[in-house]
Amino acid sequence: MSYVKEALERIKARNASEPEFIQAVEEVFKSLEPVIEKHPEYVKAKILDRIAEPERQIIFRVPWVDDKGELQINRGFRIQFNGAIGPYKGGLRFHPSVYIGIIKFLGFEQIFKNALTGLPIGGGKGGSDFDPKGKSEDEIIRFCESFMLELQRHIGPDTDVPAGDIGVGAREIGYLYGQYRRIRGAFENGVITGKGIVYGGSLIRPEATGYGLMYFVHEMLNYNGVELAGKTIVISGSGNVATHAAEKAHELGAKVVAMSDSSGYIYDANGVDVDAVSRLKNVERKRISEYLKDHPTAEFTEGWQGIWSIPCDVALPCATQNDIDLEKAKLLVLNGVLAVGEGANMPCTNEAITYFLEKGIYLAPAKAANAGGVATSALEMSQNSQRLYWSREEVDTKLKGIMISIHQHAVEAAESYGFGYNLVAGANIAGFKRVADAMVQQGKY
Ligand code: NDP
């Protein structure tokens, strides 16, 4: 049995109760056989076993008092997965589905994504099973303060730098940073990214994941001689990533006809009014069905999973993991999809990925395609440590350059290991090699 297979068996046995984590590891390891064959030093250093074991996992109690005066207890997590190329970096997710397996899969993905950006950031992730939905502003504040009371011991601008993810946007980042600053008694704003502009946030950071996704998809299509302009797009989700991807898609001349939230999806043949969706979901915090009030010709369908039955040229899953399974992948292909761009983390199952690749669908994998968010977070860290601000144009130009360079690195890595134009393999290999080399050069631990 090859080292890749042996290591995978050990990792599966050790993490048997974490299916999402095993799925993420399998997806990466699938691309690594030819790399391991060419690099005996990785086998000697047991790199695969080491890379799949977090350097540190922190699990903590988060008690907070709700508006009725009742004590609530949630669970908090921070996984410092791999610090070989820089301080741990990765978002915080607040969602009731969060448990250690979700944070581990996200942290594992983050290692390679961060390496792909070419910037000095290691991989980490965190969050809580707290559900922000339906909570009052005061409850959100109390939860964030309690969460940071413990988290602050483990993070710092040079050690571990969290950011947002599902359920954690600019509002929560503000409350988290405010508490960190009070406890530390210092203005160390490089400790967290996604901040408001007035206290050290970067211009373009809120837009970066969605914009970056579209820059990447545009580059992937362009490289293959296909125009993005004029294409029909379906996007799942209506949060940070989805709305900014939709905005940029329209700017690039494509038409987004459907978007969703966890209650269902809207279809608007005229092209979705992105400002309206963004206001509804991210400012008023309402359900997406309310879109119909001002857009009476649009349609709403209950149940978010049906969105992939809508014919489109480009599918952009930007909500959550395992959104597109084999059955939905088949439906998309049957309906003529040309390209899939993963805005969310691990939104396609491994079976769906294999099917898309077999059918010659252009697939922009999450590690590469949604790396614009963390890349711009790293740019925010640079601005914070220099204590200056870059203009919108400067950050946007850097973001675009990074997305194009990630595409190029993925293309080259895939080609040099015999995968042809396969960005899934290319992204895995390019990200893995940078981290593996750093680990080998730093010794055995
Ligand atoms: P948001 O919380 O802003 O939005 C999430 C969207 O997805 C909402 O529309 C939400 O619906 C929907 N959604 C979330 N969970 C589920 C679920 N279990 N079932 C159905 N719908 C769901 O999150 P983001 O936009 O920040 O993140 C979306 C994805 O992108 C995640 O996979 C995240 O890890 C990934 N990502 C985010 C980055 C960032 O910079 N924010 C960077 C890189 C990746 P509802 O409002 O009803 O809950």
Side-chain angles (χ1 to χ4, degrees), residues 124-255:
K125 200 82 190 187
S128 173
D129 57 1
F130 172 73
D131 186 359
K133 268 204 203 83
K135 301 291 186 300
S136 72
E137 194 75 10
D138 282 345
E139 288 176 326
I140 300 280
I141 293 179
R142 287 196 291 273
F143 175 80
C144 288
E145 289 180 350
S146 179
F147 184 83
M148 186 52 87
L149 192 63
E150 173 61 31
L151 186 69
Q152 58 89 21
R153 300 169 199 279
H154 311 288
I155 60 175
D158 294 318
T159 48
D160 184 356
V161 183
D165 191 83
I166 291 178
V168 179
R171 172 180 69 161
E172 291 74 18
I173 294 290
Y175 300 148
L176 290 164
Y177 178 64
Q179 176 75 334
Y180 178 89
R181 188 176 62 77
R182 281 186 291 274
I183 296 170
R184 292 292 175 106
F187 195 81
E188 295 170 357
N189 65 352
V191 70
I192 196 161
T193 59
K195 298 182 289 292
I197 304 301
V198 287
Y199 64 97
S202 174
L203 290 163
I204 298 288
R205 175 60 189 94
E207 298 89 345
T209 309
Y211 280 17
L213 170 66
M214 291 319 299
Y215 293 145
F216 192 93
V217 168
H218 180 266
E219 180 65 15
M220 173 177 79
L221 293 180
N222 198 35
Y223 187 87
N224 290 287
V226 181
E227 276 271 319
L228 176 64
K231 296 288 182 290
T232 299
I233 300 190
V234 168
I235 302 185
S236 66
S238 49
N240 174 286
V241 180
T243 51
H244 292 112
E247 185 189 321
K248 187 55 80 179
H250 282 167
E251 223 177 280
L252 294 171
K255 181 154 103 172

Side-chain angles (χ1 to χ4, degrees), residues 38 69 77 255:
K38 252 196 205 170
F77 302 90
K255 181 154 103 172

Side-chain angles (χ1 to χ4, degrees), residues 270-286:
N270 301 320
V272 171
D273 173 351
V274 183
D275 286 345
V277 171
S278 188
R279 199 172 46 248
L280 263 177
K281 292 296 304 173
N282 304 325
V283 181
E284 297 169 14
R285 299 181 194 276
K286 291 185 175 154

Side-chain angles (χ1 to χ4, degrees), residues 93 95 113 133 165-167 205 209 237-241 260-262 281 287 304 318-320 343-345 370:
R93 176 176 292 191
H95 193 272
K113 179 190 314 199
K133 268 204 203 83
D165 191 83
I166 291 178
R205 175 60 189 94
T209 309
S238 49
N240 174 286
V241 180
S260 64
D261 69 10
S262 58
K281 292 296 304 173
R287 309 313 296 161
W304 58 284
C318 295
T320 192
N345 284 309
N370 73 23

Side-chain angles (χ1 to χ4, degrees), residues 305 307-312 315 323-338 340 347-361:
Q305 294 192 317
I307 197 168
W308 304 117
S309 62
I310 299 171
C312 61
D323 183 347
I324 300 182
D325 58 11
L326 181 58
E327 200 186 316
K328 292 189 199 109
K330 285 184 174 168
L331 192 55
L332 279 162
V333 171
L334 193 70
N335 286 335
V337 79
L338 282 174
V340 177
C348 297
T349 63
N350 289 347
E351 294 73 26
I353 292 175
T354 305
Y355 184 75
F356 283 136
L357 294 176
E358 275 169 16
K359 295 289 168 188
I361 307 302

